[in-house]
Amino acid sequence: MSIAGVVFDIGGVVQDSPLHAIARYERERGIEPGAINRAVVEAGERGAWARLERGELTVTAFCAPFEAECRSRGIALDARRLMATIAEAGVPRPRMLEAIRRIRARGLRVAALTNNWVGDTPPGAAATPARGARALWERFDVVVESAVVGLRKPDPKIYALVCEKLALAPARVAFLDDIGRNLKPARELGMATIKVDDPDAALAELGTLLGFDLIG
């Protein structure tokens, strides 16, 4: 079946990678490379990071339990400063934005699928995601945010949800992400998957899959 929709991860695909920002934070503070990501993975789905991305914690509520989780693994950090460093790295990649424009101009549907978090809001106010400006969302037909829907990659249900919102069978959807474990459930569902290590190489691969140029 031909591809009729494309799903883009945000951080690490459409925007610069938050993993690079975390690595920079580790270097600046003398933390062992990869230690923070390992702490996130080891804490699992009940850890502070997972709860943050499912919208169960705001950034303020997240900081103390995340710092405690890291301390228990021998990592001393300032969680609020870490999150500010990640936010500063959220700069869109112009070539990705142009590729999205070309895909939509061809009549294909485009979605964003992102693990993100909610900012702190006054009591009674609507929660808004801290990452992903509204102007960016306007470039997509569909946006699925982990903190809004209460699911996060790599939960298989979030891939089924984005396909449902696109009104397309998974076999007609391509998905780009920079993290391998986020691609596996999508592939098992039947989606075509592309791992984004080098953005230009990924766009070339996607262009071949779609049958038209995205970077020339």
Side-chain angles (χ1 to χ4, degrees), residues 94-138:
R95 286 200 172 191
M96 283 291 175
L97 298 182
E98 172 60 16
I100 291 166
R101 186 196 67 76
R102 293 188 190 188
I103 293 166
R104 295 184 76 189
R106 292 282 187 136
L108 280 71
R109 289 175 60 74
V110 179
L113 176 58
T114 179
N115 285 353
N116 65 353
W117 45 80
V118 294
D120 299 299
T121 55
T128 55
R131 284 170 31 201
R134 296 302 100 187
L136 181 60
W137 290 166
E138 292 172 1

Side-chain angles (χ1 to χ4, degrees), residues 18-27 36-37 49 82 85-86:
L19 297 179
H20 297 164
I22 293 171
R24 184 170 69 253
Y25 180 92
E26 289 174 332
R27 286 195 303 272
I36 294 174
N37 189 54
W49 195 280
L82 172 65
T85 299
I86 292 171

Side-chain angles (χ1 to χ4, degrees), residues 1 4 30 33 38 45 57 66 77 84 86 90 103 112 137 146 151 154 160 174 182 194 196 205:
M1 299 176 71
R38 286 196 297 274
E45 289 304 304
L57 298 174
F66 185 64
L77 57 74
I86 292 171
I103 293 166
W137 290 166
S146 66
L151 300 166
N182 288 345
I194 296 173
V196 181
E205 185 176 348

